[in-house]
Amino acid sequence: MRFTFRHLLPVLLLCGPLAVQAQVHTDGDYWIVHHQGDSSTKEMFVVDADPAHIAKQADGSVVLTVHQIYQNPQKPPPTVYQVEVDCAQDRVRIKQGPVQESSDWQTTPAPWLGHSRDFICKPESRMRIGVVPIGKMAMQGMLNAARIYFTVLHGEHPRGDILKQIDDALDRMPLK
């Protein structure tokens, strides 16, 4: 049987929207909401704030994606959490993620969870908690930007340790 363009047209029309739809899901609006660890074990938590990727639940809560990214290349690839935030009751929980994390509602969560909640519920506090916008980009672009940010943090972190040691030494000095 011989195929002509007319026979392939339905296939092309069906595949076109799927390709466009696949591209939409790989892009996000990424924000660093928390970073922690010392110079060898740094990790950061990045929220995807693209409105198309934030699901609103019937009870008023929202579900968003948080990526945990590790500086160490030997660490596993980013860990992805689905985090549910209830702004009305000021609580948060992990809806989907690694088994060792609790899925109970939390009002005093770990810092990264609290910052993820505050990012959504209290946008005016973003500067206070040190949120850093990465921008709208594909997932791979976000991972590359995170690696660059780790480099920036690496330069600032030791200076902070030295200043803390100086402050501690001054606190221990006797007053005259």
Side-chain angles (χ1 to χ4, degrees):
M1 178 176 201
R2 189 169 158 229
F3 290 103
T4 64
F5 181 72
R6 193 178 93 211
H7 291 101
L8 294 175
L9 187 59
V11 173
L12 291 173
L13 290 174
L14 287 173
C15 290
L18 294 177
V20 170
Q21 186 178 15
Q23 288 176 345
V24 170
H25 291 296
T26 59
D27 291 346
D29 182 12
Y30 298 106
W31 297 70
I32 299 170
V33 295
H34 184 73
H35 56 83
Q36 62 190 24
D38 61 24
S39 60
S40 63
T41 61
K42 279 191 175 73
E43 58 188 16
M44 72 175 61
F45 295 87
V46 179
V47 167
D48 181 358
D50 188 330
H53 301 157
I54 297 176
K56 296 186 182 195
Q57 305 294 313
D59 63 356
S61 64
V62 295
V63 177
L64 59 127
T65 303
V66 179
H67 303 272
Q68 181 180 14
I69 302 167
Y70 309 95
Q71 179 182 16
N72 188 342
Q74 278 84 29
K75 288 280 190 173
T79 304
V80 179
Y81 297 93
Q82 296 297 313
V83 175
E84 187 172 3
V85 177
D86 183 357
C87 293
Q89 297 191 24
D90 198 33
R91 60 187 186 164
V92 63
R93 70 176 173 177
I94 297 173
K95 193 165 180 157
Q96 186 177 23
V99 177
Q100 68 265 24
E101 297 291 338
S102 171
S103 62
D104 296 334
W105 283 109
Q106 301 173 36
T107 54
T108 54
W112 72 270
L113 268 174
H115 290 169
S116 299
R117 176 197 58 210
D118 294 346
F119 176 83
I120 295 295
C121 299
K122 303 172 189 169
E124 70 280 356
S125 72
R126 290 179 182 172
M127 290 297 287
R128 181 185 54 79
I129 62 174
V131 171
V132 177
I134 298 177
K136 294 181 180 186
M137 62 188 71
M139 171 82 74
Q140 188 58 45
M142 181 269 292
L143 293 173
N144 292 338
R147 288 187 191 104
I148 292 169
Y149 193 72
F150 278 130
T151 303
V152 170
L153 284 177
H154 187 65
E156 293 175 4
H157 192 74
R159 218 178 350 200
D161 288 344
I162 291 169
L163 290 174
K164 184 179 180 323
Q165 289 174 1
I166 291 171
D167 286 342
D168 291 344
L170 289 173
D171 288 342
R172 288 190 304 265
M173 290 179 73
L175 297 175
K176 291 186 178 185

